[in-house]
C-alpha cells in the first residue's frame, strides 16, 4: 500500500496515520514554500520508505490535480490518500484524485473532546461501485500511542538537547511538578532547548499522553509570572515551533494577576497556581490535586 500525504506546517497529522497504517511506501507531497518543504523533510526522516515530490504551488486546484496525476502515475499497489495535511486546495485536489481513481481516503481527527475524554481517531472512506463515498467498516477507530516525545520534537525542530540540572532554584519546582505528573502521563522531558536558539528559548517541561502533548512554562513567582511568562510560553509553543496541537500550561508558585490570567485564557493557556509549594519539598496533596485537575481538563491523563 502507498500512502499519499500532503505536507503543510503540521507534520503530526501525517506521521500518526503513517505509523498506524504502515504503508510499504509513503509519498509526501510538498510545495516550494519553506514551511511545507521543511515539514516534508522532517516527516520523511521519521518515516520508513518515504518519497518526496514537489508540486508547483498549493493553491490552484486544477494545477495541483494535474501534478498529482502526473506524479502518482498508475502504480500497481493500492494508493490511500491522507486528506489531513497540506492546504485546503491541496486536500480538495487530492480528494478529486481519489474520486477519479477510486482510491480510499483517510482523515486523522485532531479536534474533539478535551481532557481525559480526548481521542486520537482515524477515519477511512472508500468509493462504492456507484462512486458514492462511504465510511469503511470498523472506522472511525481510536489509535494507540504511536509517537514519542522525541518523534514529536523532531517533527517540528531541526534538533534539540536536554540540559542537565544546573541547581537553579526554579528547577526544584520543575522537578516537583514532574514527579507529581509522572504517574499520570506516558512520558516526560525537562529543560529542552531547541537547536540554534542558544539560551533564548527553553521548554521547562513536556509531557505526552498517548498521541497528545503538553508544554509547560514553570515560574516560582514575582514579575516573571506575568505577561513576560505568558509571552515566553506562547513563543516557544507557537504553531511555528511546536505545532497547533500541543496543549499549553503556565504553572506558577504565586498567584497571577487577573489581567494576565485573562490574557493567558485568551491565548488558550491553562494557568495553574500551586500556592502551598515550599522550595525543596514535594507538592502538597492540595497542589497535586490542583495540578491534576487542570492538566486532566485538556490532556487524556491516567488516574
Amino acid at each position: 500500500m502507498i500512502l499519499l500525504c500532503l505536507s503543510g506546517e503540521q507534520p503530526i497529522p501525517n506521521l500518526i496515520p503513517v505509523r498506524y497504517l504502515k504503508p510499504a511506501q509513503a509519498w509526501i507531497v510538498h510545495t516550494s514554500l519553506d514551511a511545507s518543504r521543511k515539514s516534508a523533510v522532517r516527516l520523511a526522516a521519521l518515516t520508513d520508505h518515504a518519497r518526496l515530490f514537489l508540486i508547483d504551488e498549493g493553491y490552484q486546484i486544477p494545477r495541483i490535480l494535474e501534478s498529482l496525476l502526473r506524479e502518482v502515475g498508475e502504480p500497481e499497489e493500492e494508493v490511500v490518500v491522507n486528506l489531513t495535511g497540506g492546504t485546503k486546495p491541496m486536500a480538495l485536489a487530492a480528494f478529486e484524485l481519489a474520486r477519479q481513481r477510486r482510491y480510499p481516503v483517510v482523515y486523522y481527527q485532531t479536534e474533539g473532546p478535551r481532557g481525559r475524554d480526548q481521542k486520537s481517531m482515524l477515519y477511512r472512506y472508500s468509493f462504492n461501485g456507484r462512486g458514492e463515498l462511504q465510511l469503511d467498516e470498523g472506522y472511525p477507530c481510536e489509535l494507540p500511542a504511536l509517537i514519542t516525545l522525541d518523534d514529536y520534537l523532531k517533527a517540528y525542530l531541526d534538533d534539540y538537547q536536554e540540559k542537565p540540572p544546573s541547581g537553579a532554584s526554579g528547577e526544584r519546582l520543575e522537578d516537583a511538578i514532574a514527579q507529581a505528573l509522572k504517574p499520570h502521563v506516558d512520558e516526560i522531558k525537562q529543560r529542552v532547548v531547541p537547536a540554534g536558539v542558544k539560551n533564548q528559548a527553553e521548554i521547562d517541561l513536556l509531557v505526552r499522553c498517548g498521541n497528545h502533548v503538553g508544554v509547560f512554562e514553570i515560574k516560582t513567582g514575582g514579575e516573571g509570572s506575568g505577561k513576560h511568562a505568558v509571552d515566553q510560553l506562547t513563543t516557544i509553543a507557537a504553531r511555528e515551533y511546536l505545532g497547533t496541537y500541543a496543549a499549553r500550561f503556565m504553572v506558577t508558585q504565586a498567584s497571577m494577576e487577573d489581567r494576565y490570567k485573562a490574557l493567558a485564557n485568551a491565548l488558550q493557556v491553562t494557568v495553574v497556581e500551586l500556592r502551598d509549594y515550599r522550595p525543596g519539598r514535594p507538592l502538597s496533596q492540595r497542589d497535586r490535586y490542583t495540578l491534576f485537575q487542570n492538566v486532566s481538563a485538556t490532556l487524556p491523563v491516567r488516574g
Side-chain angles (χ1 to χ4, degrees):
M1 183 249 288
I2 296 169
L3 183 62
L4 184 69
C5 306
L6 309 175
S7 177
E9 290 183 351
Q10 309 302 321
I12 293 299
N14 278 317
L15 178 60
I16 290 175
V18 165
R19 291 279 174 88
Y20 180 72
L21 296 171
K22 297 181 175 65
Q25 298 179 64
W27 290 358
I28 305 169
V29 182
H30 67 94
T31 70
S32 57
L33 293 177
D34 198 48
S36 178
R37 181 187 59 80
K38 281 187 174 180
S39 180
V41 170
R42 290 169 181 156
L43 178 62
L46 294 167
T47 303
D48 294 330
H49 311 296
R51 169 194 164 194
L52 300 178
F53 63 82
L54 173 69
I55 59 174
D56 294 334
E57 45 86 3
Y59 294 96
Q60 295 192 39
I61 296 172
R63 288 178 59 183
I64 298 168
L65 176 59
E66 181 182 350
S67 296
L68 291 176
L69 288 166
R70 181 178 64 251
E71 294 291 345
V72 171
E74 298 286 348
E76 295 181 1
E77 297 183 64
E78 178 190 42
V79 175
V80 177
V81 179
N82 182 5
L83 299 176
T84 324
T87 63
K88 288 182 174 63
M90 287 170 69
L92 290 170
F95 181 81
E96 178 59 18
L97 169 74
R99 189 193 66 79
Q100 291 185 17
R101 299 281 184 86
R102 299 292 193 266
Y103 292 157
V105 299
V106 295
Y107 187 86
Y108 177 63
Q109 180 181 340
T110 52
E111 305 86 18
R114 305 295 287 175
R116 279 172 279 182
D117 295 326
Q118 192 169 2
K119 308 296 184 189
S120 179
M121 306 295 292
L122 187 71
Y123 295 74
R124 175 173 163 139
Y125 301 87
S126 297
F127 292 92
N128 63 22
R130 297 186 298 274
E132 299 168 338
L133 195 66
Q134 57 190 19
L135 184 65
D136 282 4
E137 186 177 352
Y139 287 87
C141 65
E142 184 174 357
L143 303 186
L146 294 164
I147 58 172
T148 65
L149 281 177
D150 182 67
D151 291 330
Y152 192 93
L153 289 166
K154 288 179 177 176
Y156 286 100
L157 306 174
D158 291 331
D159 200 3
Y160 70 94
Q161 63 173 331
E162 296 175 69
K163 287 174 56 178
S166 67
S169 59
E171 289 181 356
R172 288 180 287 180
L173 177 55
E174 294 171 14
D175 291 341
I177 291 169
Q179 287 303 312
L181 289 174
K182 191 173 182 180
H184 305 292
V185 302
D186 295 321
E187 196 178 357
I188 291 178
K189 284 186 183 291
Q190 293 179 250
R191 297 177 286 275
V192 174
V193 180
V197 300
K198 295 185 179 180
N199 294 321
Q200 298 175 50
E202 179 178 328
I203 305 166
D204 292 334
L205 184 73
L206 279 165
V207 303
R208 180 182 60 80
C209 302
N211 295 317
H212 306 280
V213 170
V215 184
F216 290 73
E217 180 74 17
I218 300 169
K219 296 295 182 184
T220 54
E223 290 296 321
S225 295
K227 183 178 183 298
H228 177 65
V230 176
D231 289 344
Q232 280 184 302
L233 178 59
T234 53
T235 297
I236 195 63
R239 60 181 297 167
E240 296 84 2
Y241 240 83
L242 291 178
T244 58
Y245 309 116
R248 301 185 291 188
F249 301 90
M250 169 63 61
V251 186
T252 176
Q253 178 184 348
S255 296
M256 182 180 283
E257 292 182 38
D258 288 342
R259 56 177 173 160
Y260 297 135
K261 286 182 185 177
L263 173 63
N265 290 332
L267 295 170
Q268 297 183 315
V269 173
T270 299
V271 176
V272 185
E273 297 173 339
L274 305 179
R275 300 182 184 182
D276 290 348
Y277 176 71
R278 297 296 178 269
R281 297 182 182 180
L283 297 189
S284 69
Q285 184 174 355
R286 183 168 69 171
D287 278 352
R288 284 174 177 264
Y289 178 79
T290 298
L291 179 65
F292 177 81
Q293 287 298 104
N294 279 276
V295 175
S296 66
T298 304
L299 294 175
V301 296
R302 296 193 297 267

